[in-house]
Amino acid sequence: MKVSIQNAKAFLSEKNLSAILPEIVSAKETLVSGKGEGNEFLGWVNLPTEVSDEVLNTIKSDVSRLAPKSDIFVVIGIGGSYLGARAVIEALQSEFAAFAPDRSHPYIIYAGHTLSEDYYHQLLELLDSKDYSVAVISKSGTTTEPAVAFRIIKDHLEKKYGKPEASNRIIAITDAHKGALLDIAKREGYRTYIIPDNVGGRFSVLTPVGLVPIAMAGFDITRLLDGAKQMREICLSKNSYEENPALLYAAARNLLYRQGLKVEILENYVPHLKYISEWWKQLYGESEGKDGKGILPHSLSFTTDLHSMGQYVQEGERLMFETVLSLEKPQHRVAIPIDEQDLDGINYLTNKSLTEVNHCAEQGTTLAHNEGRVPVLQIAIPRIDEFVLGELIYFFEFACGVSGYTLGVNPFNQPGVEAYKKNMFKLLGKPGYNNK
Ligand code: PA5
């Protein structure tokens, strides 16, 4: 993968990039040396080389055990406990995977990320007629949304299969030492995986939090880790923009932010990458949005959103820069057929592949947005597969740590996410929150 600032040159001079490099390298040293704020949550830095064979083998044996008897695998989790898995799975699987006739692996469905009553009603209706298994994922083991979802789904599973078989079909992924989920898992004898103490939710995709669902969906988690390993090597060892894409990305976004561009829009041109953006928004939003600072991460899917938000980006208030996640090669070719009558007037596109058209849309959009004074960064990935996604995940995580320290915040805490919970607990009458 490659980062290009070619279409942001008007905002990123060589002089400014050189001037900020010492700050960027120093932020990287702070991260790597573990001397910065939040250093108790740096376990993700070495994860690609530290996931043990024992864990990988246990995951593989769980897949062999549960996949043949599960049409559906329900992943219960919220925020960092589900977005990474979903990002990888949705990038790799067919857009129409739910309709695949002869599946060798279960179709993944998500729960615990919403409190919508209709969502659970509809999910339970579906689960009535399907065989399924479950992973319940919560680092704290006490988050309300997944706890509520798990109680509902556990009850359904036990009624459907009886308690012993239901317990065989449940995997718990949680803290090693504490939390209600750990207590339940121990009492009921569930297969349990540990989320390391020193890895925060949004950095946990390469722990069992992401690896179990991704493997269950039929994807190669060893290749995912290999890609992350390769990017880790680059990120840790290189100190120049040419050799280390994470440093270039961190420098570019901080320089743009300092010029008053406070919104970053991550864009894709293929719907498979939509959940990479959702994962990325949490990673950057939770890491940098604090102390009254931080770039607001936003995302758009093109060309779809060119027909809705394109107008704002082109001519609205100048407060954003764009980062295009650009896919070089699709897996398949679909060419545009000829039509003798050419009533739709698109015969000039005959025999072109859709990717040729899509790349022209991307170049044309970049040019237009540049003319509208929006700088455009590009992160180019050669293809979508496990290895490349592993590289991309590690790249974004490392750049996030460097960028956060450059911004002057602790990128590894999230004190703000507690505020809504206190109010909700008070309204619900949770013991200990009902101060009159
Ligand atoms: O990044 C984070 O820390 C959060 O998004 C958490 O992942 C999310 O709140 C879920 O927490 P838990 O895994 O403890 O249920």
Side-chain angles (χ1 to χ4, degrees):
M1 53 149 292
K2 265 197 327 246
V3 172
S4 165
I5 57 163
Q6 200 51 42
N7 296 305
K9 283 271 183 201
F11 295 77
L12 298 172
S13 67
E14 290 298 335
K15 193 169 152 230
N16 287 347
L17 280 162
S18 304
I20 202 177
L21 184 60
E23 261 184 83
I24 296 289
V25 172
S26 153
K28 180 202 147 186
E29 296 307 335
T30 304
L31 175 67
V32 175
S33 66
K35 291 187 180 144
E37 262 194 295
N39 55 6
E40 66 276 33
F41 291 112
L42 291 179
W44 60 271
V45 175
N46 294 326
L47 269 179
T49 54
E50 284 179 354
V51 177
S52 70
D53 285 347
E54 194 193 334
V55 167
L56 290 176
N57 289 334
T58 311
I59 293 175
K60 283 174 193 159
S61 85
D62 277 340
V63 173
S64 311
R65 184 171 64 86
L66 294 177
K69 58 180 181 180
S70 310
D71 305 313
I72 286 173
F73 190 67
V74 184
V75 172
I76 302 175
I78 195 166
S81 286
Y82 101 105
L83 280 168
R86 189 163 192 175
V88 172
I89 292 165
E90 302 222 348
L92 292 171
Q93 77 182 2
S94 160
E95 283 286 320
F96 310 104
F99 303 100
D102 303 312
R103 321 186 54 87
S104 58
H105 289 80
Y107 182 69
I108 309 297
I109 285 187
Y110 303 89
H113 60 315
T114 173
L115 290 168
S116 158
E117 191 154 7
D118 288 337
Y119 186 91
Y120 289 101
H121 176 81
Q122 290 162 8
L123 177 59
L124 294 181
E125 253 183 359
L126 174 71
L127 296 179
D128 278 343
S129 62
K130 300 284 180 192
D131 279 313
Y132 72 101
S133 305
V134 174
V136 51
I137 309 174
S138 175
K139 180 159 190 218
S140 63
T142 54
T143 307
T144 310
E145 293 90 332
V148 166
F150 183 53
R151 187 181 279 206
I152 292 168
I153 291 167
K154 176 176 181 282
D155 180 62
H156 184 273
L157 197 66
E158 288 176 353
K159 285 184 179 138
K160 183 172 175 119
Y161 295 105
K163 208 164 157 114
E165 175 58 6
S167 297
N168 282 334
R169 286 174 178 264
I170 295 173
I171 294 175
I173 304 173
T174 190
D175 187 86
H177 316 286
K178 57 177 188 333
L181 180 56
L182 183 69
D183 297 339
I184 300 174
K186 277 189 188 156
R187 195 189 61 212
E188 308 280 1
Y190 301 152
R191 159 80 73 217
T192 303
Y193 291 89
I194 298 308
I195 308 172
D197 288 346
N198 59 359
V199 180
R202 61 190 176 275
F203 288 88
S204 69
V205 54
L206 300 178
T207 71
V209 169
L211 298 178
V212 170
I214 293 166
M216 199 61 76
F219 300 113
D220 186 344
I221 52 177
T222 307
R223 288 294 288 160
L224 186 77
L225 288 165
D226 284 347
K229 230 177 262 176
Q230 175 157 307
M231 184 53 69
R232 174 182 173 275
E233 184 58 38
I234 294 169
C235 286
L236 292 186
S237 65
K238 308 292 183 195
N239 277 344
S240 73
Y241 292 139
E242 293 72 26
E243 293 175 302
N244 191 334
L247 299 192
L248 181 56
Y249 180 52
R253 57 200 305 285
N254 272 279
L255 283 172
L256 294 168
Y257 180 66
R258 288 175 192 183
Q259 291 170 55
L261 300 179
K262 300 196 172 176
V263 178
E264 177 177 9
I265 310 174
L266 187 70
E267 294 159 354
N268 63 72
Y269 283 77
V270 291
H272 291 87
L273 295 175
K274 189 170 167 211
Y275 265 86
I276 293 284
S277 297
E278 295 304 315
W279 168 80
W280 168 89
K281 278 193 280 196
Q282 188 204 354
L283 183 64
Y284 280 78
E286 245 179 40
S287 299
E288 294 191 325
K290 52 196 70 157
D291 306 337
K293 298 195 252 189
I295 295 169
L296 173 66
H298 180 48
S299 66
L300 293 172
S301 290
F302 289 165
T303 59
T304 315
D305 292 330
L306 285 172
H307 299 259
S308 61
M309 290 298 291
Q311 170 61 35
Y312 192 102
V313 178
Q314 190 67 45
E315 295 182 345
E317 192 154 355
R318 304 299 72 190
L319 38 77
M320 80 288 279
F321 62 96
E322 297 170 279
T323 300
V324 178
L325 196 47
S326 179
L327 172 64
E328 282 163 16
K329 275 213 184 83
Q331 283 179 24
H332 307 282
R333 182 181 154 88
V334 176
I336 297 166
I338 191 158
D339 183 287
E340 293 301 332
Q341 295 189 336
D342 196 24
L343 292 178
D344 50 14
I346 57 168
N347 263 359
Y348 74 100
L349 296 176
T350 301
N351 288 333
K352 282 197 192 302
S353 74
L354 281 177
T355 296
E356 282 176 83
V357 180
N358 212 6
H359 281 167
C360 287
E362 184 180 324
Q363 284 166 24
T365 304
T366 297
L367 199 65
H369 290 180
N370 268 190
E371 281 162 5
R373 290 180 292 111
V374 181
V376 183
L377 310 176
Q378 188 198 53
I379 299 168
I381 55 171
R383 58 189 183 279
I384 298 179
D385 65 14
E386 289 91 333
F387 188 88
V388 170
L389 290 172
E391 285 185 308
L392 190 66
I393 285 167
Y394 196 89
F395 156 80
F396 272 136
E397 290 181 347
F398 196 87
C400 183
V402 173
S403 185
Y405 279 141
T406 306
L407 181 69
V409 298
N410 171 358
F412 305 113
N413 66 2
Q414 56 285 329
V417 301
E418 295 306 313
Y420 92 94
K421 294 182 192 169
K422 284 191 197 121
N423 295 338
M424 180 176 82
F425 291 153
K426 200 170 164 187
L427 290 164
L428 288 169
K430 182 173 176 170
Y433 285 82
N434 218 359
N435 8 318
K436 298 223 162 88

